[in-house]
Amino acid sequence: AILVYTGKDFLGSVLEERKTNIVKGVQDAEDRLNEANRRLSEAQKQLSQANVVITEIKNETIAAKKVLLQSDAYQSKKDLATRFSRALASFRSKERQIFIEVKQQIILLVLKRTVKRAQ
């Protein structure tokens, strides 16, 4: 009976220490879980913010592309109009030159006929 009584105290203290260690281990695990959940929450917030920034960048890029394409289209139209005007001016100049040459040929032929008839 003495052994059981003294063993009871020893066994009780060992069990109490073990219980304390288990409770402490569970508390530590809960603390780590809470910390992991906090970090996960923060990471999700950062991911959400990053997605917002990515969407803004995509939208800005699309808008910039549209502006560049419109600018390029305007410049292309302007260049085509300039080229067309130059080509038209060149054509009119050649047309006048040909008209003058034909007119001179007609005058020359009329003069030759007139000279022949006069002889």
Side-chain angles (χ1 to χ4, degrees), residues 17-54:
E17 184 180 335
R18 183 170 171 114
K19 177 184 172 187
T20 303
N21 287 338
I22 290 171
V23 169
K24 186 177 178 185
V26 169
Q27 184 62 45
D28 288 346
E30 286 177 351
D31 290 346
R32 287 193 306 269
L33 176 62
N34 289 336
E35 178 65 18
N37 283 332
R38 187 190 64 75
R39 287 182 181 177
L40 175 62
S41 177
E42 184 63 29
Q44 287 173 334
K45 286 179 189 175
Q46 289 176 354
L47 177 61
S48 178
Q49 291 171 349
N51 284 332
V52 168
V53 170
I54 288 169

Side-chain angles (χ1 to χ4, degrees), residues 101-117:
E101 288 175 7
V102 169
K103 185 176 166 185
Q104 287 175 346
Q105 290 292 329
I106 291 172
I107 291 171
L108 187 60
L109 285 173
V110 169
L111 285 176
K112 283 183 180 180
R113 283 189 184 170
T114 305
V115 169
K116 261 188 175 178
R117 286 187 186 169

Side-chain angles (χ1 to χ4, degrees), residues 2-18:
I2 296 178
L3 183 61
V4 172
Y5 183 75
T6 23
K8 181 181 173 190
D9 288 342
F10 174 73
L11 186 59
S13 70
V14 169
L15 289 175
E16 187 63 34
E17 184 180 335
R18 183 170 171 114

Side-chain angles (χ1 to χ4, degrees), residues 1 39 67 70 73:
R39 287 182 181 177
V67 168
Q70 289 171 348

